[in-house]
Amino acid sequence: MIEEISIRNLGVIGEARLPLGPGFTALTGETGAGKTMVVTALGLLLGDRADTGAIRSGSGQALVEGHWHVDERGAVADRVRDAGGDLDGGALILSRSISGEGRSRAVVGGRSTPVGVLNEIGQQLVVVHGQSDQVRLKSATAQREALDRFAGPELQQVLGDYREVFQRWNDAQAELDVLIADRDRRAREADELRLAMTEIEAAAPRRGEDVELAERADRLTNLEDLRLAAAQAHELISSESLDEARDALALIESARRTVDRVAAHDPELVPIVDAIANAGFVVGELATQLSSYLASLDSDGGRELETVQQRRAELSVLMRKYGPTLDEVIDYLDSGSTRLLELDHDNDRIDALRAEVDADRARVMSLADRVSDLRRVAGIRLSERVTGELAALAMGAARITVEVTPRDEYTASGRDQVAILLQPHPGAEPRALGRGASGGELSRVMLALEVVIAATDPVPTFVFDEVDAGVGGASAIEIGRRLARLAQSAQVIVVTHLAQVAAFATNHLSVVKDSDGSVTASSVRQLTGDDRIAEMARLLSGLPDSESGLTHARELVETARELVGG
């Protein structure tokens, strides 16, 4: 239940506070005084799209704040806590601000939240009806939704099961269609992969093999230069010729002997003799290494080079096709094997999906039939009850018929086409609400539907924006009476210009523009006693102090009291 709404700088409203509370609240006022702007403010609190054009001229931002009382153990309270908000003894505060730059800020229970959270909460708190909703009532979707609300929990349970299976069926069918449509392409992909795997496996490449081969090829290509350089170095270090050539080893040995002859005369030469001897050992080791290196050089390097180049060429082909690097070729072998396994199981997957699709389709058809049966039964009951309500709304000759007919295709809502038909008088052809129903008739049908549906699908708060448009006289009185009846089980807020409707209110608010055309904090008044009678007289005759108008207003209030009491 909404306890209070505060509005600042929205439309023509500079500042206003609306005390609401339980029961039936009527909101009246002069044309252009901002009554409908109250509905706009409520829409903002419920997550509607923000429009910077609604900000009052000369103001930087508009602000709306609503105080609700909710069940602390209910779904709304749980969602508020999920969003990080707080409840104080069931008191919930929602606020929404809009800046001139287009920024919008929502606060739920003291915590900033996305606007979508307001929308989620609002759907469980309030149902708003206005002229646009009368137009929407003409659509098949809105009529089906109204029937489903009336049908109650049993239909909702079956419909929920249906939607779950329907979604699964659609997903499986979509996957099956893709597999079948792509089967030829996937078969070609499998063949190509198979050839690639065979080619790579036959070559059996190793990681780093291309680098090793490049190094080997470079060595074999320069084999003679390597042999000549190593032989020359060996000859300089340790000559094997018989001539008088002096190599490094001989020179070092000669140096050692020369110093060793005089070392006895100076102890400092002893370590030098040892160092020269060690140098001879090192140089001798170098000579041995060069000799081994020369022995390792293959005399038949040309034939080995040919083999190495052939292998490099083989790996280059693989890298061009599946690389560009050898590591990527080997990775392709691994991933390709996995992909090939997947493609080779396509037929198995298609068979399994076909079985799933067939099973889910049978389940969808069965559940859709159950949904249709429940809708047809509910449609009969809804027809009877709404027709009864219309009789009380001065449409006694009218009859409502709810038709539930099957369609060829299945959708997320079943396979039913729901149409609410209005027969304005006996003998007339029942016609869809979208064809032939006047605005006043649509208002009364919409109200009758809500009164009936509220018995099985209660909503905490209903807001009606000029639901009485196009209605007057006895019909208006019956609309007021039915709104009062609805207010016995829910909070009802009505923006109206009819005294016949406002007479049934238990809380009457009046919005009055100041002399400068603005609406300030003092411009929204809660009317009681003579003030309320004067406003009723104004609604009836345009003259708040007309004696006949005042008398008529008192009669209306008394009549309303008797009708509600009866």
Side-chain angles (χ1 to χ4, degrees), residues 28 507-510 525-529 531-532 535-536:
T28 63
N507 179 36
H508 192 156
L509 302 179
S510 174
R525 294 188 299 150
Q526 192 169 31
L527 303 178
T528 59
D531 289 338
R532 185 186 181 203
E535 172 65 4
M536 299 280 289

Side-chain angles (χ1 to χ4, degrees), residues 37-302:
M37 196 54 63
V38 173
V39 179
T40 301
L42 185 58
L44 290 173
L45 288 177
L46 301 178
D48 286 357
R49 181 177 175 274
D51 180 7
T52 56
I55 299 175
R56 190 165 184 253
S57 178
S59 301
Q61 72 169 8
L63 176 66
V64 183
E65 183 175 281
H67 293 245
W68 263 263
H69 185 79
V70 300
D71 182 358
E72 287 190 273
R73 294 172 294 180
V76 170
D78 290 342
R79 185 65 186 94
V80 170
R81 294 187 187 101
D82 289 343
D86 293 324
L87 293 169
D88 182 9
L92 169 64
I93 299 177
L94 306 180
S95 69
R96 180 89 176 273
S97 62
I98 314 166
S99 71
E101 294 78 22
R103 291 190 300 272
S104 175
R105 182 171 181 262
V107 177
V108 174
R111 177 64 63 89
S112 292
T113 64
V115 173
V117 176
L118 288 180
N119 186 265
E120 292 176 34
I121 294 173
Q123 289 180 7
Q124 302 178 66
L125 291 175
V126 181
V127 170
V128 180
H129 282 297
Q131 296 298 310
S132 61
D133 298 280
Q134 292 184 17
V135 174
R136 185 172 179 270
L137 188 59
K138 299 177 182 180
S139 75
T141 299
Q143 293 175 20
R144 187 196 69 243
E145 290 173 350
L147 175 59
D148 288 353
R149 284 179 57 206
F150 173 76
E154 185 178 4
L155 174 62
Q156 296 305 320
Q157 178 63 50
V158 177
L159 193 55
D161 293 343
Y162 168 85
R163 284 172 175 153
E164 181 180 345
V165 179
F166 177 81
Q167 185 62 52
R168 189 173 66 224
W169 174 48
N170 261 6
D171 291 344
Q173 184 65 61
E175 184 180 352
L176 179 61
D177 291 342
V178 168
L179 285 177
I180 291 175
D182 284 359
R183 184 158 46 187
D184 291 343
R185 180 190 61 78
R186 292 165 74 90
R188 288 194 301 272
E189 182 184 351
D191 289 341
E192 291 169 359
L193 273 174
R194 223 171 262 111
L195 289 173
M197 299 302 101
T198 301
E199 185 177 4
I200 296 172
E201 287 170 351
R206 294 181 294 103
R207 294 188 186 276
E209 184 182 1
D210 53 337
V211 176
E212 294 174 10
L213 290 170
E215 292 173 352
R216 183 65 179 163
D218 187 42
R219 182 187 189 200
L220 292 171
T221 301
N222 297 282
L223 192 60
E224 290 306 316
D225 290 341
L226 294 172
R227 184 179 288 113
L228 179 59
Q232 288 177 347
H234 185 272
E235 182 69 19
L236 291 171
I237 292 173
S238 178
S239 176
E240 296 180 359
S241 65
L242 299 177
D243 58 18
E244 295 295 326
R246 303 279 282 172
D247 56 26
L249 277 174
L251 291 172
I252 291 173
E253 178 57 21
S254 178
R256 185 194 66 78
R257 286 197 301 268
T258 300
V259 176
D260 186 52
R261 279 197 304 268
V262 296
H265 303 299
D266 188 350
E268 291 185 11
L269 287 177
V270 174
I272 295 175
V273 171
D274 293 340
I276 294 172
N278 287 333
F281 296 145
V282 171
V283 172
E285 181 63 27
L286 287 175
T288 302
Q289 291 178 11
L290 283 169
S291 181
S292 297
Y293 177 75
L294 282 167
S296 71
L297 292 176
D298 192 348
S299 60
D300 196 12

Side-chain angles (χ1 to χ4, degrees), residues 299-499:
S299 60
D300 196 12
R303 195 156 44 199
E304 183 184 355
L305 179 60
E306 183 179 352
T307 302
V308 168
Q309 297 294 31
Q310 286 177 350
R311 179 61 173 171
R312 294 184 70 197
E314 183 180 13
L315 296 182
S316 294
V317 170
L318 293 180
M319 288 188 287
R320 281 197 303 272
K321 287 184 177 180
Y322 314 114
T325 68
L326 188 61
D327 282 349
E328 287 174 321
V329 172
I330 296 171
D331 291 341
Y332 182 71
L333 178 64
D334 296 336
S335 62
S337 299
T338 302
R339 175 63 173 162
L340 188 58
L341 186 64
E342 177 187 332
L343 293 171
D344 284 342
H345 282 79
D346 268 4
N347 288 336
D348 293 341
R349 180 58 180 156
I350 287 172
D351 291 341
L353 278 174
R354 279 198 174 118
E356 290 177 25
V357 166
D358 290 344
D360 282 343
R361 185 175 189 277
R363 181 70 174 146
V364 162
M365 294 172 67
S366 174
L367 287 170
D369 288 343
R370 179 65 179 143
V371 169
S372 298
D373 291 341
L374 290 171
R375 280 175 173 157
R376 278 190 287 269
V377 172
I380 294 171
R381 291 188 291 115
L382 183 62
S383 300
E384 293 171 350
R385 295 186 187 182
V386 174
T387 296
E389 283 296 322
L390 290 179
L393 289 170
M395 291 178 67
R399 178 172 179 78
I400 284 289
T401 302
V402 179
E403 285 189 350
V404 181
T405 55
R407 293 180 297 188
D408 293 335
E409 73 278 3
Y410 292 88
T411 68
S413 60
R415 63 175 304 197
D416 301 318
Q417 177 75 36
V418 176
I420 299 179
L421 307 178
L422 175 65
Q423 184 182 23
H425 52 80
E429 186 71 22
R431 303 183 68 182
L433 289 178
R435 295 186 295 116
S438 67
E441 288 172 334
L442 277 174
S443 296
R444 282 177 278 180
V445 170
M446 184 171 69
L447 178 57
L449 280 168
E450 286 298 355
V451 170
V452 170
I453 291 173
T456 57
D457 183 37
V459 175
T461 300
F462 289 92
V463 178
F464 295 95
D465 184 11
E466 298 191 0
V467 68
D468 48 19
V471 180
S475 298
I477 290 177
E478 289 305 325
I479 285 180
R481 183 179 182 182
R482 281 309 180 264
L483 288 168
R485 175 181 165 185
L486 186 60
Q488 292 173 359
S489 58
Q491 181 184 37
V492 175
I493 302 168
V494 180
V495 176
T496 182
H497 63 281
L498 293 181

